[in-house]
Amino acid sequence: MIKRMLIANRGEIARRIIRTCRQLNIETIAIYSDADKDALFVKEADESYLVGGNRVQESYLNVDKIFEIAKQANIDAIHPGYGFLSENASFANRCLKEKITFIGPSPEIIELMGDKIAARRTMKQAGVPIVPGTEEAISSVEEAVKYASEIGYPIMLKAAAGGGGIGMQIVHNDDELVKAFDSNSKRAANFFGNGSMFLEKKIEETRHIEFQVLADHHGNVVHLFERECSIQRRNQKVIEEAPSPFVSDRLRKDMGEASIRATKQINYTNAGTIEFLVDKEENYYFLEMNTRIQVEHPITEETTGIDIVEHQIKIAQGESLQITQNDIRQTGHAIEARIYAEDPITFFPSPGKITQFSLPKGECIRNECAVKEGDQVTPFYDPMIAKLIVTGDTRSEAIANLKVAMNQFIVEGIKTNITMIKEIIDYPAYVNGDTTTTFIQDYYQK
């Protein structure tokens, strides 16, 4: 049984993990950078250790120092959260070698799903539809142009080892592809250590819909239904909701079954998320599998009543799932708005001191927050400072509750995207559930 857990992360997800660990009587060990020394998660953990300087390479990606602290603190498990080392197969493998329980899937599965081309191939073998595209990595622009002529424009140029929108760009002709290939390949190489690219046909008028899965080490797999994540800027999510206003009962059943089939195909264990693109004819295509907790996991917890972090921990220590698919019900509606410290027009980060900060409150409101009044938002990490989750018996009620909550959310001293979220949820297209992945470009940025 896990008694002491190191959280290899920061901010709101570190606080979220600490909360569940307390309920399970697990002691928590936080690591923090110089910039985070006064952060809320540092104070809330049972013990906290300085891991390094401000930059991620000096701190939250400093693997040797993390394991030095793990040994010093005598921990028996590491939760990686999301981002940073959460989908790093080498880190997960190091945990195995150090006889530390890694809260996540095996290194082999992380590596397989981290290779987007291998993941596409695997899903195809499982009978899960994939977007038409290249079957192998492309290392030269000449190859890319050749394959593009076979697939047909518009095309999504993507990094083979990518994620989070990094190394991804839509191109409409050979000239755009030639210009985009080298820059995106170099960016991918810098972020992921791999500059290989691949091409996918751009499916028009799509929604980004994902299914949460849980799988134990005893062959049991369930899904926790879908999340709609189509409201995005720069290929990164801004507003998510569950259930999707678009997904019919038939489509939900088909996609749920495909998600379980895919999970079983690779012998996956722990919590994972299978992301799909869905077109207006309800055709769905595998996009990628995230082998970690998702930022937007709270809306699934709110609509199913299932603590995903708790299940991650219990699965990692060998326990069987105590729920079957028939036990899981999706009740009510939940919406999450990500609050970013950024310019709402350019989307550039807005570091600085938070001079005033007030969170909305109410029975239908859940706050997952990284900061407090007086905190300094630094330029070193992701600009998300909070997540606002609201619920309602219906989607209309949840939207109404979100509007009230957003008007109560006060952040001064830095720029945020709060005004953008307020505008988005007022658009008739959003209220009607007409939310495709180009929503922000089609409405907000017009």
Side-chain angles (χ1 to χ4, degrees):
M1 297 292 286
I2 295 169
K3 297 295 183 184
R4 289 171 60 80
M5 183 184 298
L6 184 146
I7 301 166
N9 217 295
R10 62 181 296 278
E12 65 86 15
I13 190 61
R15 298 185 71 198
R16 167 70 189 87
I17 295 164
I18 289 168
R19 195 163 68 239
T20 288
C21 284
R22 279 182 182 158
Q23 294 169 0
L24 298 175
N25 294 317
I26 296 172
E27 294 179 345
T28 53
I29 289 81
I31 58 172
Y32 64 93
S33 66
D34 286 332
D36 280 339
K37 66 181 185 302
D38 297 319
L40 289 167
F41 76 94
V42 177
K43 295 176 172 61
E44 290 171 352
D46 293 301
E47 298 173 21
S48 298
Y49 294 81
L50 177 66
V51 70
N54 295 332
R55 301 188 182 281
V56 292
Q57 292 82 2
E58 303 168 339
S59 53
Y60 300 105
L61 296 181
N62 188 344
V63 173
D64 288 339
K65 182 63 176 179
I66 290 171
F67 280 102
E68 180 184 316
I69 292 170
K71 186 174 182 180
Q72 180 182 349
N74 194 30
I75 60 100
D76 45 28
I78 291 179
H79 198 306
Y82 54 70
F84 295 131
L85 296 164
S86 63
E87 293 180 289
N88 186 308
S90 297
F91 182 76
N93 195 50
R94 176 86 177 262
C95 286
L96 284 178
K97 290 181 178 177
E98 300 281 352
K99 294 182 170 46
I100 293 171
T101 299
F102 177 76
I103 310 298
S106 69
E108 293 79 15
I109 296 302
I110 294 174
E111 187 168 13
L112 176 64
M113 290 296 103
D115 182 333
K116 305 307 179 188
I117 298 171
R120 280 167 52 83
R121 197 180 301 125
T122 302
M123 293 302 147
K124 188 176 181 180
Q125 292 169 356
V128 179
I130 62 171
V131 179
T134 53
E135 298 291 324
E136 303 293 337
I138 298 171
S139 55
S140 73
V141 68
E142 292 79 15
E143 276 186 279
V145 170
K146 173 180 174 292
Y147 282 117
S149 67
E150 298 172 4
I151 298 168
Y153 291 102
I155 280 171
M156 291 299 296
L157 174 67
K158 292 185 173 184
I166 297 165
M168 182 190 302
Q169 187 173 335
I170 183 172
V171 292
H172 298 87
N173 53 55
D174 287 353
D175 288 342
E176 288 186 9
L177 178 56
V178 169
K179 289 177 183 176
F181 189 89
D182 283 343
S183 60
N184 281 282
S185 179
K186 286 175 183 175
R187 191 160 184 244
N190 287 337
F191 273 87
F192 310 117
N194 181 351
S196 296
M197 308 297 290
F198 71 102
L199 304 179
E200 283 184 344
K201 177 70 177 175
K202 175 70 170 70
I203 309 296
E204 302 289 357
E205 295 184 58
T206 56
R207 292 168 179 266
H208 184 129
I209 295 172
E210 62 189 30
F211 269 70
Q212 177 74 59
V213 295
L214 294 173
D216 64 23
H217 293 271
H218 308 279
N220 302 303
V221 181
V222 297
H223 71 75
L224 307 184
F225 299 102
E226 84 280 3
R227 296 186 285 256
E228 167 91 48
C229 307
S230 299
I231 306 292
Q232 304 178 6
R233 52 82 169 126
R234 294 183 174 176
N235 297 307
Q236 291 186 318
K237 301 161 189 171
V238 178
I239 300 173
E240 305 100 341
E241 59 183 299
S244 166
F246 175 78
V247 173
S248 64
D249 289 341
R250 180 200 61 81
L251 183 58
R252 182 173 292 112
K253 182 175 183 294
D254 287 352
M255 294 180 72
E257 290 174 352
S259 298
I260 289 178
R261 193 163 64 247
T263 305
K264 288 182 175 180
Q265 173 75 16
I266 60 174
N267 295 316
Y268 190 88
T269 56
N270 216 270
T273 299
I274 301 182
E275 300 191 346
F276 297 94
L277 290 178
V278 184
D279 68 20
K280 57 186 176 182
E281 275 83 38
E282 293 194 344
N283 299 304
Y284 62 93
Y285 307 91
F286 170 79
L287 185 61
E288 65 179 358
M289 184 174 194
N290 291 312
T291 57
R292 53 168 169 78
I293 191 87
Q294 291 279 86
V295 175
E296 59 273 19
H297 76 275
I299 55 175
T300 297
E301 294 183 326
E302 293 299 320
T303 51
T304 63
I306 292 171
D307 185 325
I308 295 172
V309 175
E310 178 182 346
H311 279 78
Q312 280 193 293
I313 295 169
K314 288 183 175 180
I315 289 169
Q317 60 188 14
E319 295 184 36
S320 297
L321 285 172
Q322 299 300 304
I323 49 174
T324 67
Q325 195 62 56
N326 289 335
D327 296 327
I328 303 166
R329 295 285 182 271
Q330 205 173 27
T331 305
H333 203 93
I335 306 173
E336 174 181 283
R338 302 189 189 190
I339 311 302
Y340 289 104
E342 66 182 17
D343 187 296
I345 304 299
T346 65
F347 305 136
F348 291 157
S350 176
K353 184 178 180 179
I354 299 174
T355 57
Q356 189 176 357
F357 190 78
S358 180
L359 293 170
K361 295 179 176 63
E363 287 185 8
C364 64
I365 293 171
R366 170 176 169 180
N367 291 295
E368 299 288 352
C369 186
V371 298
K372 63 185 183 304
E373 190 168 296
D375 277 359
Q376 190 79 23
V377 177
T378 72
F380 304 113
Y381 317 114
D382 185 273
M384 189 179 75
I385 58 172
K387 301 182 316 199
L388 171 63
I389 302 97
V390 298
T391 56
D393 291 337
T394 64
R395 184 172 189 267
S396 296
E397 187 177 307
I399 292 172
N401 291 339
L402 178 58
K403 289 180 179 181
V404 172
M406 289 306 304
N407 285 328
Q408 296 174 357
F409 210 126
I410 298 171
V411 184
E412 299 291 346
I414 58 172
K415 294 179 180 180
T416 72
N417 66 333
I418 287 175
T419 55
M420 182 183 84
I421 293 170
K422 288 180 180 179
E423 290 182 33
I424 287 173
I425 61 179
D426 263 338
Y427 282 116
Y430 178 79
V431 174
N432 294 333
D434 299 329
T435 53
T436 66
T437 54
T438 59
F439 185 95
I440 287 180
Q441 298 95 300
D442 293 343
Y443 295 95
Y444 182 74
Q445 290 185 315
K446 266 195 169 182

